[in-house]
mmCIF file of all heavy atoms in Angstrom:
data_model
loop_
_atom_site.group_PDB
_atom_site.id
_atom_site.type_symbol
_atom_site.label_atom_id
_atom_site.label_comp_id
_atom_site.label_asym_id
_atom_site.label_seq_id
_atom_site.Cartn_x
_atom_site.Cartn_y
_atom_site.Cartn_z
ATOM 1 N N PRO A 21 143.149 47.381 122.589
ATOM 2 C CA PRO A 21 141.921 46.641 122.344
ATOM 3 C C PRO A 21 142.000 45.847 121.077
ATOM 4 O O PRO A 21 141.320 44.807 120.969
ATOM 5 C CB PRO A 21 140.911 47.802 122.188
ATOM 6 C CG PRO A 21 141.664 49.032 122.029
ATOM 7 C CD PRO A 21 142.985 48.809 122.625
ATOM 8 N N LYS A 27 147.690 40.654 116.124
ATOM 9 C CA LYS A 27 148.489 39.466 116.214
ATOM 10 C C LYS A 27 148.115 38.476 115.045
ATOM 11 O O LYS A 27 149.030 37.861 114.417
ATOM 12 C CB LYS A 27 148.196 38.772 117.518
ATOM 13 C CG LYS A 27 149.049 37.632 117.870
ATOM 14 C CD LYS A 27 148.729 37.142 119.320
ATOM 15 C CE LYS A 27 149.470 35.884 119.542
ATOM 16 N NZ LYS A 27 149.065 35.277 120.880
ATOM 17 N N GLU A 51 152.206 34.602 93.035
ATOM 18 C CA GLU A 51 150.909 35.049 92.637
ATOM 19 C C GLU A 51 150.096 33.907 92.046
ATOM 20 O O GLU A 51 148.857 33.722 92.307
ATOM 21 C CB GLU A 51 150.948 36.245 91.723
ATOM 22 C CG GLU A 51 151.521 37.494 92.368
ATOM 23 C CD GLU A 51 150.680 38.010 93.555
ATOM 24 O OE1 GLU A 51 149.426 37.982 93.456
ATOM 25 O OE2 GLU A 51 151.314 38.469 94.498
ATOM 26 N N ASN A 74 132.790 52.319 94.098
ATOM 27 C CA ASN A 74 132.730 53.448 93.148
ATOM 28 C C ASN A 74 134.016 54.243 93.328
ATOM 29 O O ASN A 74 134.225 54.794 94.387
ATOM 30 C CB ASN A 74 131.475 54.282 93.482
ATOM 31 C CG ASN A 74 131.282 55.408 92.450
ATOM 32 O OD1 ASN A 74 132.032 55.456 91.430
ATOM 33 N ND2 ASN A 74 130.358 56.302 92.710
ATOM 34 N N LEU A 115 168.496 77.194 85.617
ATOM 35 C CA LEU A 115 167.145 76.734 85.341
ATOM 36 C C LEU A 115 166.534 76.170 86.521
ATOM 37 O O LEU A 115 165.319 76.176 86.690
ATOM 38 C CB LEU A 115 167.216 75.699 84.157
ATOM 39 C CG LEU A 115 165.866 75.168 83.707
ATOM 40 C CD1 LEU A 115 165.096 76.299 83.037
ATOM 41 C CD2 LEU A 115 166.037 74.048 82.703
ATOM 42 N N HIS A 127 162.015 84.894 82.497
ATOM 43 C CA HIS A 127 161.357 83.871 81.618
ATOM 44 C C HIS A 127 160.156 84.458 80.981
ATOM 45 O O HIS A 127 159.274 85.085 81.608
ATOM 46 C CB HIS A 127 160.920 82.706 82.503
ATOM 47 C CG HIS A 127 160.102 81.676 81.841
ATOM 48 N ND1 HIS A 127 160.668 80.840 80.872
ATOM 49 C CD2 HIS A 127 158.776 81.348 81.847
ATOM 50 C CE1 HIS A 127 159.701 80.107 80.315
ATOM 51 N NE2 HIS A 127 158.554 80.369 80.995
ATOM 52 N N ASP A 135 148.653 79.936 74.437
ATOM 53 C CA ASP A 135 147.482 79.510 73.717
ATOM 54 C C ASP A 135 146.894 78.193 74.294
ATOM 55 O O ASP A 135 145.683 77.986 74.497
ATOM 56 C CB ASP A 135 147.732 79.275 72.238
ATOM 57 C CG ASP A 135 148.008 80.645 71.516
ATOM 58 O OD1 ASP A 135 147.577 81.642 72.061
ATOM 59 O OD2 ASP A 135 148.589 80.599 70.442
ATOM 60 N N ARG A 136 147.863 77.282 74.701
ATOM 61 C CA ARG A 136 147.467 76.057 75.285
ATOM 62 C C ARG A 136 146.809 76.283 76.617
ATOM 63 O O ARG A 136 145.792 75.658 76.903
ATOM 64 C CB ARG A 136 148.692 75.104 75.449
ATOM 65 C CG ARG A 136 148.447 73.657 75.413
ATOM 66 C CD ARG A 136 149.655 72.821 75.308
ATOM 67 N NE ARG A 136 150.771 73.234 76.173
ATOM 68 C CZ ARG A 136 151.933 73.522 75.813
ATOM 69 N NH1 ARG A 136 152.331 73.414 74.493
ATOM 70 N NH2 ARG A 136 152.855 73.869 76.644
ATOM 71 N N ASP A 140 142.888 75.482 77.572
ATOM 72 C CA ASP A 140 142.559 74.581 78.770
ATOM 73 C C ASP A 140 141.587 75.360 79.723
ATOM 74 O O ASP A 140 140.667 74.731 80.298
ATOM 75 C CB ASP A 140 143.870 74.229 79.500
ATOM 76 C CG ASP A 140 143.646 73.262 80.564
ATOM 77 O OD1 ASP A 140 142.938 72.244 80.367
ATOM 78 O OD2 ASP A 140 144.159 73.525 81.680
ATOM 79 N N PRO A 156 116.296 75.177 86.027
ATOM 80 C CA PRO A 156 115.614 76.293 85.330
ATOM 81 C C PRO A 156 114.073 76.297 85.833
ATOM 82 O O PRO A 156 113.546 75.261 86.011
ATOM 83 C CB PRO A 156 115.672 75.943 83.865
ATOM 84 C CG PRO A 156 115.952 74.524 83.798
ATOM 85 C CD PRO A 156 116.691 74.171 84.995
ATOM 86 N N ASP A 159 107.714 78.045 83.721
ATOM 87 C CA ASP A 159 106.573 78.929 83.804
ATOM 88 C C ASP A 159 105.294 78.133 83.530
ATOM 89 O O ASP A 159 104.224 78.505 84.006
ATOM 90 C CB ASP A 159 106.662 80.130 82.839
ATOM 91 C CG ASP A 159 107.665 81.127 83.348
ATOM 92 O OD1 ASP A 159 107.880 81.203 84.549
ATOM 93 O OD2 ASP A 159 108.311 81.768 82.462
ATOM 94 N N LYS A 172 109.024 72.819 97.444
ATOM 95 C CA LYS A 172 110.054 71.759 97.597
ATOM 96 C C LYS A 172 109.421 70.519 98.145
ATOM 97 O O LYS A 172 109.792 69.376 97.691
ATOM 98 C CB LYS A 172 111.163 72.263 98.557
ATOM 99 C CG LYS A 172 111.958 73.392 98.058
ATOM 100 C CD LYS A 172 113.060 72.890 97.103
ATOM 101 C CE LYS A 172 113.898 73.999 96.624
ATOM 102 N NZ LYS A 172 114.263 73.904 95.278
ATOM 103 N N GLN A 175 107.597 68.743 95.409
ATOM 104 C CA GLN A 175 108.505 68.123 94.434
ATOM 105 C C GLN A 175 109.009 66.823 95.021
ATOM 106 O O GLN A 175 109.075 65.792 94.332
ATOM 107 C CB GLN A 175 109.654 68.996 94.147
ATOM 108 C CG GLN A 175 109.338 70.141 93.237
ATOM 109 C CD GLN A 175 110.462 71.132 93.143
ATOM 110 O OE1 GLN A 175 111.506 71.033 93.791
ATOM 111 N NE2 GLN A 175 110.311 72.202 92.347
ATOM 112 N N ALA A 177 107.526 64.911 97.333
ATOM 113 C CA ALA A 177 106.405 63.991 97.413
ATOM 114 C C ALA A 177 106.105 63.371 96.006
ATOM 115 O O ALA A 177 105.866 62.200 95.855
ATOM 116 C CB ALA A 177 105.134 64.679 97.951
#
Side-chain angles (χ1 to χ4, degrees):
K27 188 177 175 185
E51 293 298 322
N74 185 6
L115 185 64
H127 175 70
D135 291 341
R136 209 170 43 237
D140 185 49
D159 288 330
K172 292 279 183 220
Q175 286 172 356

